[in-house]
Amino acid sequence: MRRRSLIGLLSVGAAGLVAYARSASASRIRAFPNRASRENRHEGTEAWRVAGNVSDTARQIQGYASATSVNAGESLDFHVTVAEPQPFTVTVYRLGHYRGAGARLMHTSEELAGRPQPVPVPDPATGLIDCGWPPAWTFQVPGDWTSGLFLAVFESRDGFRSSTPFVVRNDGRRSDLLVVIPFTTYAAYNMWPADGHTGKNLYRGYRPDGSVGGQPERAFQVSLNRPFAGPGSPSWFKLDVAAVQWAEATGYDVSYASSIDLHQGRVDPGRHRALVFPGHDEYWSGAMRDVVENAVRTKTHCAFLAANNIYWNVRVEADPRGVAGRVVTCYKDDPDPAPDAVGPTERWRSLGNDRERAEARLLGVQYNGILHEPVPLVVRKAGHWFWAGTGLRDGAEIHGLVAVEADGRYRALPTGYESKQVLLSRSPYLDRMGRGEKIQNTSLCQTPDGTIMFCAGTFHWPLALVESKFTDVRIQRATRNLFDRMVRR
């Protein structure tokens, strides 16, 4: 088995680690044709990985897509800047397993005329940085492309490379699993341009001396009309890539959408057995949450494979040119000048009466802290079907699996729907913010009709599914147990 790095940290291999899953994959219980499995039989390539040779100061080549997703057969614009006028190309890759290579080369543009584009001045009231650059290339996505997570790689003639992700949808078909990529959270963390004086996100911005400030310097609005900082990989993108590659390697029938699609009503839970939220998915509009609440009511399972989900309420708004779904607004602890029917853009747990909109009311658990360092996940309820075939016992420890941020159960916050909750882990950790010992819980809630709401409750869960320093075949098996159960209904 060859070892490969995935965006600096994560390997894209795992063929050997998930080979056992192929013989017992979801194919025997699948209801619809599996286009993703057929797609992954194509030859892969490792050329999709982008080295960090681009900076937000020099801006050798950077770009963004005009939308977070596009239906197969429709077109997508790419907006690109270069440091010096010169030709460049755009190469499009579909991410998946592809026998361990991690992606397939789908299309390469002709040489395009590259021109420098300006860095906008942040809006003085909201901090919004919206590029509004003209399209540099319009790409007509072939109608026969399989839905997936894609990467557009920009390469200048002088050898600099950067990228931006997007989703291709297949709106006309059903699938067992719909994987929703968290672009609203990507936007919230994007600091572009991280140049020492201009960039802002929903957490911080630059002080006059060039140091990174906090709440006084941050933005209240962030735009998707700008590159992702550096070489173009969004914050915690590796979690989403890991989950995508594992699901496709294991043989599930998968299709894809973005969180903007969730917001704009393009996701019908009834067309899928389960909705899968693969990574860090913190920023949610009321419309996004409504879809998931409807999914639980209409017997569509949900799985959240990381932690700190549905934490901030946001508005998803139009950009300055009137294009819907391109601006994420969140005032957090500052006064929101224009709350909508959901309420001000603050923590979900602060909305409603008696914390009725707290994230645990939907998820079963919610964010409870930031870890000082990774700790073991301590197994609980080892006799549950979730842990079947793993060989684990109560109290067994899975090294380093609980990390970055964690979720836990709040006894005073039962789900807002009838369900039976099983806590599959009970992992003590020290909170980095000095709030003492906390407990992480992996949670599975099941309604009387069998609908499952699963929350892993830790950032490292997706990394355990693929070849990485956190790989664990027991987590792979448990996750397969979960997905197989969801696919069976």
Side-chain angles (χ1 to χ4, degrees):
M1 187 191 318
R2 292 182 293 166
R3 297 192 64 83
R4 301 174 173 92
S5 64
L6 167 59
I7 314 180
L9 292 175
L10 174 64
S11 167
V12 300
L17 291 168
V18 299
Y20 75 91
R22 294 180 182 277
S23 62
S25 74
S27 61
R28 68 181 185 273
I29 50 178
R30 184 176 299 115
F32 311 111
N34 189 345
R35 292 186 62 179
S37 287
R38 293 198 297 268
E39 166 63 31
N40 274 269
R41 295 172 189 163
H42 289 282
E43 181 179 355
T45 177
E46 299 181 8
W48 64 277
R49 291 193 295 272
V50 175
N53 68 345
V54 169
S55 75
D56 289 4
T57 302
R59 298 194 302 126
Q60 294 93 338
I61 184 166
Q62 294 182 311
Y64 62 91
S66 60
T68 60
S69 76
V70 60
N71 193 34
E74 298 177 350
S75 63
L76 188 67
D77 292 334
F78 292 94
H79 307 256
V80 181
T81 187
V82 290
E84 301 290 340
Q86 63 181 293
F88 72 96
T89 58
V90 184
T91 304
V92 177
Y93 298 91
R94 184 186 184 277
L95 304 185
H97 188 257
Y98 299 101
R99 302 171 190 170
R104 176 188 173 200
L105 191 159
M106 304 297 289
H107 183 85
T108 300
S109 74
E110 70 279 9
E111 279 202 327
L112 305 163
R115 297 180 177 84
Q117 301 295 336
V119 174
V121 175
D123 182 275
T126 67
L128 180 70
I129 299 172
D130 187 283
C131 289
W133 298 336
W137 182 53
T138 298
F139 178 51
Q140 185 79 28
V141 176
D144 62 353
W145 275 18
T146 299
S147 179
L149 175 58
F150 284 72
L151 201 66
V153 175
F154 313 113
E155 183 167 1
S156 61
R157 179 174 282 183
D158 57 10
F160 289 96
R161 301 173 84 223
S162 67
S163 65
T164 200
F166 65 98
V167 167
V168 170
R169 309 188 313 273
N170 289 155
D171 288 347
R173 71 177 294 267
R174 298 174 179 268
S175 65
D176 286 343
L177 307 178
L178 180 73
V179 176
V180 183
I181 305 299
F183 277 85
T184 49
T185 299
Y186 291 168
Y189 281 86
N190 185 16
M191 190 74 172
W192 187 92
D195 57 4
H197 53 85
T198 308
K200 294 177 182 289
N201 62 19
L202 292 181
Y203 294 86
R204 56 190 61 89
Y206 290 105
R207 300 186 181 99
D209 65 1
S211 63
V212 177
Q215 190 164 333
E217 291 78 25
R218 73 178 183 89
F220 302 131
Q221 290 188 316
V222 288
S223 177
L224 285 158
N225 295 324
R226 56 176 178 162
F228 291 105
S233 177
S235 175
W236 293 107
F237 186 56
K238 62 177 178 282
L239 301 183
D240 304 299
V241 175
V244 164
Q245 293 181 335
W246 177 82
E248 297 204 358
T250 311
Y252 290 104
D253 178 29
V254 189
S255 60
Y256 295 84
S258 78
S259 55
I260 300 299
D261 297 318
L262 199 67
H263 172 81
Q264 294 184 326
R266 283 189 284 268
V267 172
D268 177 3
R271 298 179 67 84
H272 311 282
R273 300 288 181 88
L275 306 181
V276 178
F277 301 91
H280 184 35
D281 209 338
E282 185 177 353
Y283 288 78
W284 281 59
S285 70
M288 292 166 62
R289 181 164 176 161
D290 287 346
V291 174
V292 176
E293 291 183 342
N294 181 54
V296 174
R297 289 193 298 269
T298 56
K299 303 182 183 180
T300 300
H301 308 293
C302 297
F304 288 79
L305 298 184
N308 192 12
N309 303 295
I310 318 184
Y311 186 68
W312 293 105
N313 171 42
V314 301
R315 288 193 295 277
V316 178
E317 299 179 303
D319 67 19
R321 291 158 298 285
V323 179
R326 300 300 286 169
V327 172
V328 176
T329 299
C330 191
Y331 280 83
K332 297 189 174 181
D333 295 324
D334 288 276
D336 186 341
D340 60 13
V342 176
T345 50
E346 59 186 14
R347 294 170 187 83
W348 275 102
R349 62 186 66 179
S350 300
L351 297 172
N353 299 318
D354 194 27
R355 296 183 290 177
E356 63 185 354
R357 303 308 302 275
E359 55 268 41
R361 297 289 195 186
L362 175 58
L363 303 176
V365 291
Q366 62 188 34
Y367 164 76
N368 67 2
I370 302 174
L371 281 84
H372 178 68
E373 59 184 3
V375 301
L377 182 132
V378 182
V379 172
R380 190 173 182 271
K381 298 291 183 181
H384 192 271
W385 59 257
F386 179 84
W387 294 119
T390 64
L392 292 165
R393 298 177 182 272
D394 281 1
E397 297 185 351
I398 301 177
H399 177 71
L401 191 62
V402 180
V404 187
E405 294 177 333
D407 295 342
R409 179 193 180 194
Y410 286 68
R411 291 184 180 275
L413 296 175
T415 57
Y417 49 92
E418 185 180 354
S419 69
K420 180 180 179 180
Q421 183 175 36
V422 178
L423 300 179
L424 299 163
S425 70
R426 188 184 188 281
S427 313
Y429 73 91
L430 289 178
D431 181 75
R432 194 180 73 189
M433 307 303 289
R435 293 173 290 199
E437 184 178 85
K438 299 293 185 70
I439 300 296
Q440 178 273 348
N441 298 120
T442 298
S443 169
L444 190 151
C445 296
Q446 194 160 0
T447 68
D449 62 24
T451 303
I452 293 168
M453 170 65 76
F454 172 79
C455 291
T458 170
F459 271 44
H460 279 181
W461 194 282
L463 304 187
L465 300 178
V466 296
E467 198 180 333
S468 77
K469 65 187 292 186
F470 305 106
T471 301
D472 196 285
V473 294
R474 298 164 297 182
I475 294 298
Q476 293 175 359
R477 175 57 188 265
T479 309
R480 183 163 62 85
N481 290 342
L482 172 70
F483 280 24
D484 284 356
R485 180 67 66 105
M486 293 192 302
V487 168
R488 288 190 192 99
R489 282 282 187 194

